[in-house]
Amino acid sequence: RWSQGGDNGGDYTLTVSIPVNTTAQIWVPARRAADVTARGARLLRMADGCAVFAVGSGTHHFLTRGRPRG
C-alpha cells in the first residue's frame, strides 16, 4: 500500500506484508538510497531508479523523502 504525506506532499510511504517463512526484494522508487528510510530491511543496491531492499517475513514500512523518480 502506498500513501502520500508530509508537509509538502512529497513524502511517500510504502507498506508491504511478507508471508511467514519467506523473503522478498522490495523495489522503492527513489533518486538516492539515502532518500529512503526502512527499519529491518537491508539495502542491496540502486537499480533502474529504485532502492532495492531485502526483507524477511512481517510487515515493513519504507519512507521515501522527496518526489520519487517518474
Side-chain angles (χ1 to χ4, degrees):
R1 179 181 74 219
W2 281 102
S3 59
Q4 186 176 6
D7 293 337
N8 63 2
D11 294 345
Y12 295 84
T13 302
L14 173 63
T15 302
V16 296
S17 294
I18 307 303
V20 175
N21 296 323
T22 60
T23 61
Q25 286 188 6
I26 309 299
W27 290 57
V28 181
R31 295 184 188 279
R32 302 174 303 148
D35 292 340
V36 182
T37 303
R39 286 192 348 210
R42 182 171 51 95
L43 177 67
L44 297 175
R45 65 187 175 279
M46 287 295 294
D48 298 325
C50 293
V52 182
F53 292 90
V55 297
S57 58
T59 300
H60 301 275
H61 305 278
F62 298 85
L63 171 66
T64 302
R65 284 178 220 76
R67 187 165 299 282
R69 69 173 176 95

